[in-house]
């Protein structure tokens, strides 16, 4: 059987482009006893994948040139030689890094697969009930430690993680302010996801003043997905004993030079701030706890979600690049 794969063709300098990816056709071996042939249904594309394109040591190995790109995914069983899986079953990979290669078909040992409950939309396992939801849950609750009446500011607030962070903050009684790009996203945050206020960073000449206006009592928690000048403006408004869960720095991922900006250490010292970087893997032993809480909030209607969906296996590179143009609202999903 033949399958198409989208491989990592070359390490980019700065923003990736079409030359970063290449589509090839490969022959799959014959299915053996205990193996399952799966075909993708949904793929996730996420900003952290840009870091894997650099040949540098990190919390996750870099992509290998000439090998398929991989990301979170939900697949369906096409053929099975294991009694625990039947054609049509929806599955995900089970491992410390459950990532699906960008391929129209793949073969796995049945021991590497798990069935998923289809009582919720399958794509939710890549978003609100997957890595973004768990990232929001643990980052905010374990590092941000929200208290009722505090002010929580989120950069990248209309993205997959930010939307969930804001709603969990509201559940815990916080005043929630989101920072996003464009009037449409700002309206989405306040009208659909119940944020108390939202700031449009596009064309904003004074982020420090905008944050001060939206946060008259200062900022107690800053959930940082973006970095750069946006974070400079928020940091200037932090209250004493404020907490900063450091989740992402998408403003810097494609930088070809070391950026120079305000040094945060004096503010951190004088205001006794806590800033802690984290990745979702830090909490892997507690995924069950987070998943249970997120499912319950979804069923109770306390957590809403939105997705931006692109269709077609060949759209995966385009979808990934769209992340850096801010084209998505909520989780960016590719439906194969």
């Amino acid at each position: 059987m033949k399958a198409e794969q989208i491989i990592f063709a070359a390490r980019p300098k700065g923003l990736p482009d079409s030359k970063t990816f290449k589509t090839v056709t490969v022959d799959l071996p014959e299915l053996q006893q205990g193996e399952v042939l799966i075909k993708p249904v949904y793929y996730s594309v996420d900003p952290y994948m840009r870091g894997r394109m650099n040949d540098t040591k990190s919390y996750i190995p870099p992509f290998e040139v000439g090998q398929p790109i991989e990301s979170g995914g939900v697949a369906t069983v096409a053929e099975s030689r294991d009694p625990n899986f039947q054609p049509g079953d929806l599955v995900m990979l089970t491992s410390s890094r459950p990532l699906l290669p960008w391929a129209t078909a793949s073969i796995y040992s049945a021991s590497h697969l798990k069935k998923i409950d289809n009582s919720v939309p399958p794509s939710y396992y890549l978003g609100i009930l997957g890595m973004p939801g768990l990232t929001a849950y643990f980052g905010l609750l374990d590092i941000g430690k929200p208290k009722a009446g505090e002010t929580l500011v989120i950069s990248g607030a209309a993205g997959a993680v930010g939307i969930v962070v804001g709603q969990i903050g509201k559940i815990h009684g916080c005043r929630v302010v989101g920072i996003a790009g464009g009037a449409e996203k700002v309206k989405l945050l306040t009208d659909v996801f119940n944020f108390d206020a939202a700031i449009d960073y596009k064309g904003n000449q004074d982020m420090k003043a905008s944050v001060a206006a939206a946060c008259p009592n200062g900022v107690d928690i800053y959930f940082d997905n973006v970095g750069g000048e946006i974070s400079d403006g928020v940091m200037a408004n932090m209250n004493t004993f404020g907490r900063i869960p450091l989740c992402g720095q998408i403003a810097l991922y494609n930088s070809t030079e070391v950026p120079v900006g305000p040094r945060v250490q004096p503010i951190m010292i004088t205001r006794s701030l806590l800033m802690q970087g984290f990745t979702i893997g830090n909490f892997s032993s507690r995924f069950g706890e987070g998943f249970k809480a997120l499912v319950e909030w979804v069923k109770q209607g306390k957590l809403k979600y939105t997705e931006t969906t692109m269709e077609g296996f060949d759209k995966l590179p385009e979808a990934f690049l769209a992340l850096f143009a801010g084209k998505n609202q909520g989780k960016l999903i590719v439906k194969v």
Side-chain angles (χ1 to χ4, degrees):
M1 178 181 178
K2 294 186 180 297
E4 288 188 352
Q5 296 180 342
I6 299 176
I7 65 170
F8 183 46
R11 299 197 186 280
K13 293 182 179 180
L15 186 67
D17 57 23
S18 60
K19 296 178 182 178
T20 307
F21 311 93
K22 182 180 179 181
T23 301
V24 299
T25 301
V26 298
D27 290 309
L28 297 181
E30 191 169 328
L31 202 63
Q32 302 297 312
Q33 192 63 37
E35 292 183 334
V36 178
L37 175 70
I38 62 173
K39 293 187 176 182
V41 180
Y42 291 101
Y43 279 107
S44 167
V45 291
D46 301 282
Y48 82 90
M49 295 168 62
R50 175 60 185 87
R52 296 193 65 193
M53 293 179 175
N54 300 327
D55 190 13
T56 55
K57 183 179 179 180
S58 185
Y59 63 92
I60 186 170
F63 290 129
E64 293 184 34
V65 174
Q67 294 299 312
I69 300 282
E70 59 180 9
S71 62
V74 173
T76 185
V77 173
E79 186 179 347
S80 174
R81 296 199 65 186
D82 182 277
N84 295 312
F85 294 92
Q86 302 300 320
D89 288 344
L90 288 172
V91 297
M92 296 181 70
L93 294 179
T94 58
S95 69
S96 59
R97 199 176 80 237
L99 302 175
L100 197 65
W102 287 7
T104 54
S106 302
I107 293 175
Y108 281 93
S109 166
S111 62
H112 293 161
L113 301 174
K114 66 176 179 180
K115 296 179 187 178
I116 61 172
D117 181 0
N118 61 5
S119 64
V120 298
S123 60
Y124 274 31
Y125 290 95
L126 303 178
I128 195 168
L129 302 181
M131 182 187 71
L134 292 169
T135 298
Y137 178 88
F138 290 112
L140 180 61
L141 299 187
D142 275 53
I143 301 173
K145 301 185 183 301
K147 304 179 186 68
E150 291 189 323
T151 296
L152 162 65
V153 173
I154 306 148
S155 57
V161 174
I163 282 174
V164 183
V165 172
Q167 292 177 93
I168 296 176
K170 292 295 292 183
I171 290 170
H172 283 77
C174 292
R175 171 178 170 78
V176 176
V177 178
I179 302 174
E184 185 178 356
K185 290 184 178 181
V186 165
K187 184 175 176 62
L188 178 79
L189 294 175
T190 55
D191 293 1
V192 176
F193 295 106
N194 201 31
F195 281 45
D196 295 286
I199 300 168
D200 184 357
Y201 71 79
K202 289 190 174 179
N204 194 307
Q205 300 300 313
D206 193 340
M207 184 57 65
K208 177 181 176 181
S210 296
V211 173
C215 307
N217 295 319
V219 178
D220 299 293
I221 309 165
Y222 174 41
F223 198 102
D224 188 6
N225 289 302
V226 173
E229 294 180 359
I230 289 174
S231 292
D232 294 340
V234 180
M235 289 293 294
N237 287 280
M238 294 296 300
N239 288 332
T240 301
F241 299 119
R243 287 85 68 199
I244 304 140
L246 192 58
C247 180
Q249 296 284 282
I250 195 170
L252 308 178
Y253 289 164
N254 294 306
S255 297
T256 56
E257 298 178 355
V258 177
V260 177
R263 304 298 199 262
V264 299
Q265 289 88 339
I267 295 176
M268 295 184 69
I269 292 170
T270 58
R271 301 183 196 178
S272 302
L273 302 180
L274 170 69
M275 177 187 288
Q276 182 176 333
F278 74 101
T279 68
I280 189 56
N282 301 153
F283 303 96
S284 58
S285 64
R286 295 170 54 199
F287 280 0
E289 167 201 332
F291 183 79
K292 181 179 179 181
L294 292 167
V295 168
E296 190 66 25
W297 284 331
V298 168
K299 290 181 176 179
Q300 293 173 354
K302 293 181 178 179
L303 283 184
K304 300 176 184 178
Y305 207 57
T306 188
E307 298 173 341
T308 300
T309 303
M310 298 178 70
E311 295 200 13
F313 178 76
D314 61 330
K315 294 292 186 181
L316 277 163
E318 180 182 336
F320 174 71
L321 296 177
L323 289 170
F324 302 99
K327 295 181 179 180
N328 60 299
Q329 293 182 359
K331 187 78 189 77
L332 184 51
I333 296 286
V334 175
K335 183 179 180 181
V336 180

